Amino acid sequence: MQFRDLKYQYEVLKTDIDKALIGAAAANAYIMGPQVKELEEQLAAYVGVKHCLSCANGTDALTLALKVWGLGPGDAVFVPDFTFFSTAEVVSLEGATPVFVDVDKATFNIDACDLEKTIRATIADGRLRPKAIIAVDLFGLPADYTAIGRTAKQYGLWLLEDGAQGFGGAINGKRNGSFGDISTTSFFPAKPLGCYGDGGAIFTDNDEWAALIASLRVHGKGSFKYDNVRIGMNSRLDTMQAAVLQVKLKAFADYELEAVNEVAKKYGEQLAGTVKTPIVPRNFYSSWAQYTIQLDNREQRDHLQVALKEAGIPSMIYYPTPMHAQTAYRNLHYPADSCPSALQLCDTVLSLPMHPYLKTTDINLVCDAIKSNV
Ligand SMILES: *Cc1c(COP(=O)(O)O)cnc(C)c1O
């Protein structure tokens, strides 16, 4: 059994993907070929925003957003303590300071109450200027954007949606990628919509920022590539990756997103009462980048992971360490017991095999193995 069966997906889509790849190779427009612009238009339409700009990966997408806002030393950016490292890393890379916020154990996403508390504490402390919030759509589930948006407005902060795991998720039909002042996603192969290498995209309704990002991703170009008007990056999506993504986006929108939600439903029905299964709040829709259960404690979780492995079932711990306890952030001197919910999750979470092509027989196997080992 595969944790995320990309090989099987390729077999299903092989005819179209091979045609797209060979077509891109033969057309000889490897950088910024026509597929890139087409894909950006398709993605913007799917997400429901005015502008989509593709780039080299999801980390660069976040970096480009922070560069648009000119964040730097002395600026505080509020980041969930339970996420992939990139979310905080990009803040530090710009010279700004990530300020870690605890998460809601039920949704794994940034806790709106703790966010407000942390903003107030940062203002009271006075050493950093609060500038932005990065909310993450962890495991595919949108963050609580009603509450977060209100807080962002109240304190005059930019809202950046890190939708690296969230492509396809929605609240009341409004899709992930449309909730931030700027939103981003990643096309890393294992994400809900993945390419065959690295890739990412930025979404915004703001014309001025979109133009700035278009410049920043090509060495700060002005009227043409060798007219450089600002310091930028080399961060473009390859034509070949765009070609693959055009095929994959169609499958994603046609049936994969629905199929992965069916898998989640089956897991939920079979595992209810045995372990804590992930919840999806009313009117929320997840793209299920991960299906993550919670055990009672670390011993039970670690025992289950070993038992699953012995039964040939792969599982992953996303994530074993909260941001505030990462070695790279020792310099920020967070007390060890900061963000207690994030700490607890790191000890109790386990992500199960999850993808749109997971067979019912495999779902049953996973569930039976869990039931006989907790
Ligand atoms: C994967 C991921 C990123 C980074 O995306 P890359 O394309 O790997 O650079 C950022 N944030 C979160 C939450 C992610 O899961």
Side-chain angles (χ1 to χ4, degrees):
M1 196 184 310
Q2 298 289 312
F3 188 71
R4 189 167 189 92
D5 203 340
L6 296 172
K7 190 163 157 43
Y8 185 86
Q9 183 198 43
Y10 171 65
E11 293 304 329
V12 173
L13 304 175
K14 184 175 180 351
T15 312
D16 289 344
I17 287 182
D18 288 359
K19 206 172 123 202
L21 277 171
I22 292 166
N28 195 36
Y30 308 119
I31 301 291
M32 291 302 209
Q35 291 91 331
V36 174
K37 187 91 196 125
E38 283 167 23
L39 175 73
E40 288 175 342
E41 281 164 11
Q42 290 159 356
L43 290 169
Y46 183 84
V47 167
V49 295
K50 207 163 160 193
H51 304 283
C52 169
L53 294 113
S54 57
C55 64
N57 55 68
T59 308
D60 279 5
L62 293 167
T63 297
L64 285 160
L66 298 181
K67 284 192 184 298
V68 164
W69 295 330
L71 297 194
D75 294 336
V77 180
F78 301 91
V79 173
D81 197 40
F82 187 68
T83 180
F84 180 61
F85 193 61
S86 279
T87 314
E89 182 182 30
V90 293
V91 175
S92 306
L93 204 57
E94 294 308 293
T97 305
V99 178
F100 301 118
V101 178
D102 208 357
V103 294
D104 178 343
K105 272 188 285 188
T107 63
F108 306 107
N109 280 329
I110 196 164
D111 181 326
C113 292
D114 198 56
L115 173 62
E116 174 144 27
K117 215 173 97 188
T118 309
I119 294 169
R120 283 172 183 275
T122 305
I123 294 169
D125 178 74
R127 277 178 293 181
L128 296 170
R129 293 178 301 272
K131 280 289 178 68
I133 301 164
I134 307 183
V136 179
D137 304 322
L138 205 72
F139 305 152
L141 185 73
D144 181 5
Y145 286 108
T146 309
I148 298 164
R150 209 185 297 126
T151 302
K153 241 196 194 91
Q154 187 182 340
Y155 293 93
L157 308 176
W158 302 122
L159 176 57
L160 174 53
E161 175 188 0
D162 178 355
Q165 302 182 10
F167 192 81
I171 306 174
N172 277 318
K174 182 173 159 61
R175 290 212 166 102
N176 282 352
S178 69
F179 293 109
D181 296 306
I182 299 179
S183 305
T184 63
T185 198
S186 163
F187 304 123
F188 181 83
K191 308 282 177 170
L193 177 65
C195 59
Y196 285 170
D198 280 310
I202 302 144
F203 302 96
T204 185
D205 283 325
N206 187 304
D207 300 340
E208 207 177 302
W209 294 346
L212 199 46
I213 293 161
S215 163
L216 285 167
R217 72 176 168 178
V218 188
H219 307 284
K221 75 176 167 108
S223 54
F224 68 109
K225 191 178 167 186
Y226 303 107
D227 170 34
N228 307 96
V229 298
R230 55 181 63 84
I231 302 300
M233 299 166 70
N234 174 13
S235 187
R236 294 166 301 217
L237 182 71
D238 295 343
T239 304
M240 289 226 183
Q241 300 301 349
V244 169
L245 281 167
Q246 285 189 294
V247 176
K248 290 233 214 170
L249 175 61
K250 187 170 181 327
F252 183 88
D254 283 353
Y255 64 89
E256 282 187 355
L257 182 57
E258 254 171 73
V260 81
N261 271 277
E262 275 304 308
V263 174
K265 199 169 144 222
K266 286 180 185 153
Y267 266 143
E269 283 163 4
Q270 291 199 43
L271 294 174
T274 304
V275 292
K276 194 167 172 202
T277 54
I279 65 138
V280 176
R282 233 172 88 87
N283 301 325
F284 278 53
Y285 192 71
S286 178
S287 55
W288 298 106
Q290 303 297 338
Y291 189 89
T292 303
I293 59 171
Q294 293 176 50
L295 287 304
D296 290 341
N297 52 55
R298 187 171 190 145
E299 291 66 41
Q300 192 191 41
R301 192 269 310 272
D302 292 351
H303 167 80
L304 177 61
Q305 187 173 35
V306 171
L308 290 177
K309 191 173 178 203
E310 282 166 1
I313 298 166
S315 64
M316 301 292 284
I317 297 170
Y318 297 125
Y319 294 93
T321 311
M323 289 297 113
H324 79 263
Q326 287 286 0
T327 307
Y329 283 126
R330 258 188 214 152
N331 60 319
L332 295 178
H333 304 293
Y334 276 77
D337 59 356
S338 307
C339 302
S341 295
L343 274 168
Q344 189 188 328
L345 286 174
C346 291
D347 280 345
T348 56
V349 288
L350 193 64
S351 299
L352 305 178
M354 190 61 175
H355 58 86
Y357 302 93
L358 195 62
K359 293 193 201 73
T360 305
T361 46
D362 283 342
I363 298 170
N364 296 345
L365 258 168
V366 175
C367 294
D368 291 344
I370 292 171
K371 283 180 196 162
S372 48
N373 284 289
V374 294

